Amino acid sequence: MSQSSIVQVAVSGPFLSPLDYVCVESEGVPVVGGRVWVPFRNKKVVGLVMSLNNSTEFEIAKLKKIDQVIDTVPLFTAQQLSLFHWASQYYHEPIGEVVSAVLPKRLRMGEPAKAKGMAHWSLTPLGEQASQDELSKNASRQRAVFEFFKQAKVSNQGYFSATNLSQALKNWQPSVKKLLQMGWLQEREGSCLAQSVYKTSPKHILNEAQQVAVDTVVNELQSISSGFCAYLLEGITGSGKTEVYLGMIEAAITQGKQVLVLVPEIGLTPQMVSRFEAQLRIPVASLHSGLNDTERHCAWHVMRTGQAKVLLGTRSAVFTPFKNLGLCIIDEEHDLSYKQQEGFRYSARDLIVQRAFQEKIPVVLGSATPSLESLHNVNQGRYQHLELKQRAGNASLPSLKLLDIRGEKIQEGVSRPLKIAMQSCLEEGGQILLFLNRRGFAPILMCHKCGWQASCPSCDANMTLHSGQNHDYLQCHHCGEQLAEPECCPSCKSDDSFIKVGQGTERLHETMAAWFPEHSILRIDRDTTRRKGKMAELTGIAQRGEADILIGTQMLAKGHHFPNVTLVGVLDIDQGLFSADYRAAERMAQLIMQVAGRAGRSKKAGEVLIQTHQPDHPLLTTLIREGYDVFAQQALRDRLHANLPPLCYQILVRAEASNPQDVMNFLASLKAGLALNLQKMNKENKDEIQIEFWGPVAAPMLRRQGRYRFQLLLQSAKRQNLHQLLAEMEPYIYKSPLARKVRWSLDVDPLDMM
Ligand code: ADP
Ligand code: ZN
Ligand code: ZN
């Protein structure tokens, strides 16, 4: 056998390490970081070469042969592969699962690494001759799309990609399809990078705090000894963090480096991409869940080959290969959408820091309301703190007030003082944002005669009543199950006696329409923004001040800039004060500050009214009187005393099955195995390993989608100890017959216990 003829390949499946194959030279020479076709079970699958070796622990004669080499040039550098290894070990996720999570679908299917390019459209000669009048009068979208191409032709621009069109037009997809069918438009494959038409944007002169933040990071970028360094950029809402990122990005680009910018799931809008492009004056690639496979492959390709300098992406973009990455930025670092909540449960925030560490480059974590984890890292001296305490430009901070609604008259969830404030705000021509973090019409449908409540047949949860276009229906927000509203009570058979308990955004909308019939109301929640492009459309309306009252869930709380909003009403936050989840207070505080940040972002001052039955609650009063920072430091001290994260580390083992006994058996045996192992390790080691076990106990929602759910929590003051113990046990879990009867998963650094 020649040297390096053992190829270690990561294939999708529950294998803790790559599988060994042998290579026959006639099938090409595999490269580390490139893909190969390999036989696996009875199929041919795509795998990623993790390393080349000249020995194996298996009998060489029994190893299977590689079928074919796909890439002769690596897709990933050694550094990028080591990030995958790290993620696999840290999250106890099989390496094959990590690899299949990071490869775009097209590449997982074995297509060539070079992307084909995105579709571009232009007018055909027929389209050039045609006139708008030939289109139906009612087809206003078609007319708008057609007019866009006509105008572009006049100014000598030819082809447009999906990205271009999204920047200029709403919901253009069906119209382009129709115009293609009519032969007025033609399609061709273009480059992977959209040829952008940059809008010009006025460049701000940075204020002092902004300049200090930019200079600190840029100095690090430019110093010869530059290496890993983590910064927490804590800037109140509207303080101009984005402007600061742009300053840093410009400096990195000037040095010929590429930049990775992560943003929360719903923070990434075509407007944000345009804002970056307008200022940087180069095309910016983006990666998010709304892209199709071609677009995704394209974005990946332009970053890997260095054709694009900047990538704006959500969670999974953290794995994108770069040619010459020089700076990492993560905006709204506290945001929960950075944690993948199923399958491979990684935290993109922790991974981007690890990536910067491995690549020896700076990383900037930005937020108005940093996570307690990051503030803890600042306290420990691991992160450098950069602060922006003032709003940029002339905007001033809104005033926050608690509305004591004990004993107040409350109609449909809105108290009298809030109603009065709304009236006078509207009279002055202001815009209002009402924040209610519950979609649907009412969270509970109850029988007035017998007390029956509509609950989900497969979950331990109520079904939410929604008012549909034609008739009301019930929906479970945990499993998605939908049922028609019953005609009579399933329990006592009385009809016409249902009462709708509690408020959702739909109900609030109805109430506001009744109270303020002459004003326009816009509801922004998951239900109204389901269609592609809808979110951008609705926030556009809100931004331009075309709606007087905005009603929204947490979707609306983040990142958006609504210059005309002067009054924010926060309706229902009290449950955050009493939740069993110790993180609930932190989340409540972050949400309040984020929502409040939507007010008074331009010339007009803003007011934020927070309805509560707990006006003396210490968490609330600290937050309102002394601000998020004092609140957060207080919350951190509380965590320290209670010995909770980030002052200790946790791994949550979740398991579920239709038979609860199977789940308990599995977790109990796992716990016994872990305890035994711990004893053994402690006999062998000098330093005692201390790990606490909690459970197994029922999950807060015991039954979901018909399965019973239990969990076992492992906790330790030393992260290393937890990982060591679990790594020892892992091979046994995969082999355990008890494990096969349940669905189980490990959640490292869990963010919720649901
Ligand atoms: P953040 O991301 O911190 O909420 P943004 O970067 O979106 O804040 O900035 C808020 C607003 O202030 C934007 O409209 C931006 O154009 C403006 N802005 C930012 N920096 C400056 C500055 N130095 N001078 C004037 N306006 C600024
Ligand atoms: Zn009844
Ligand atoms: Zn359900």
Side-chain angles (χ1 to χ4, degrees), residues 231-252:
Y231 302 90
L232 177 64
L233 175 65
E234 181 173 7
I236 59 167
T237 52
S239 59
K241 290 185 291 296
T242 312
E243 224 66 27
V244 169
Y245 302 146
L246 286 165
M248 297 168 179
I249 294 169
E250 271 181 334

Side-chain angles (χ1 to χ4, degrees), residues 446-453 488-494 497-498:
M446 189 166 76
C447 171
H448 197 39
K449 279 241 172 71
C450 75
W452 170 90
Q453 295 187 3
C488 67
C489 171
S491 174
C492 73
K493 308 290 176 229
S494 79
S497 66
F498 288 126

Side-chain angles (χ1 to χ4, degrees), residues 355-539:
R355 181 163 188 182
F357 174 75
Q358 290 183 342
E359 308 222 6
K360 302 191 181 65
I361 56 172
V363 57
V364 179
L365 297 87
S367 175
T369 52
S371 61
L372 296 190
E373 281 79 7
S374 295
L375 287 169
H376 181 59
N377 281 325
V378 168
N379 291 349
Q380 301 283 304
R382 284 194 285 261
Y383 294 176
Q384 201 177 322
H385 206 183
L386 302 169
E387 288 178 279
L388 307 177
K389 295 185 170 181
Q390 243 115 54
R391 279 199 159 174
N394 298 321
S396 56
L397 262 187
S399 69
L400 267 69
K401 260 189 233 141
L402 289 179
L403 270 190
D404 180 359
I405 54 168
R406 288 174 300 183
E408 275 293 350
K409 185 167 172 234
I410 298 180
Q411 262 179 300
E412 302 287 339
V414 180
S415 66
R416 201 178 46 97
L418 180 56
K419 186 175 179 180
I420 294 170
M422 289 181 70
Q423 277 160 345
S424 63
C425 176
L426 290 172
E427 270 160 30
E428 288 161 22
Q431 195 181 24
I432 300 173
L433 192 164
L434 292 180
F435 175 72
L436 176 62
N437 208 11
R438 198 183 301 116
R439 64 194 174 90
F441 190 85
I444 296 171
L445 181 72
M446 189 166 76
C447 171
H448 197 39
K449 279 241 172 71
C450 75
W452 170 90
Q453 295 187 3
S455 59
C456 176
S458 6
C459 308
D460 290 330
N462 278 322
M463 290 189 98
T464 301
L465 184 72
H466 284 258
S467 55
Q469 252 169 5
N470 302 319
H471 40 74
D472 292 359
Y473 61 95
L474 292 161
Q475 189 190 43
C476 172
H477 287 182
H478 302 280
C479 70
E481 168 94 40
Q482 280 194 17
L483 298 172
E485 187 188 5
E487 294 190 350
C488 67
C489 171
S491 174
C492 73
K493 308 290 176 229
S494 79
D495 48 11
D496 213 25
S497 66
F498 288 126
I499 47 176
K500 302 164 183 177
V501 188
Q503 264 74 38
T505 46
E506 291 173 12
R507 187 172 208 164
L508 187 60
H509 189 166
E510 198 178 278
T511 309
M512 291 305 115
W515 286 5
F516 305 108
E518 66 280 22
H519 290 282
S520 55
I521 302 162
L522 188 67
R523 172 164 68 90
I524 304 187
D525 59 22
R526 190 127 58 90
D527 298 310
T528 60
T529 55
R530 234 172 260 283
R531 255 205 353 254
K532 194 171 170 173
K534 203 71 188 162
M535 183 72 190
E537 181 185 332
L538 296 188
T539 50

Side-chain angles (χ1 to χ4, degrees), residues 59-80:
E59 208 179 310
I60 291 189
K62 285 196 179 155
L63 291 182
K64 290 194 177 151
K65 293 184 186 71
I66 282 176
D67 279 325
Q68 200 186 338
V69 171
I70 304 174
D71 302 305
T72 48
V73 178
L75 299 182
F76 299 101
T77 62
Q79 252 170 352
Q80 284 152 8

Side-chain angles (χ1 to χ4, degrees), residues 192-214:
C192 261
L193 269 180
Q195 285 307 313
S196 281
V197 197
Y198 308 124
K199 296 184 187 126
T200 46
S201 75
K203 209 167 169 174
H204 299 297
I205 297 170
L206 298 183
N207 62 35
E208 203 184 323
Q210 285 176 314
Q211 194 65 53
V212 168
V214 172

Side-chain angles (χ1 to χ4, degrees), residues 253-281:
I253 293 172
T254 311
Q255 289 184 10
K257 303 268 175 62
Q258 291 173 293
V259 186
L260 166 62
V261 186
L262 291 187
V263 292
E265 195 63 61
I266 55 170
L268 184 51
T269 55
Q271 287 93 321
M272 182 157 191
V273 178
S274 326
R275 182 173 170 190
F276 271 60
E277 289 187 332
Q279 183 141 349
L280 300 170
R281 313 205 66 75

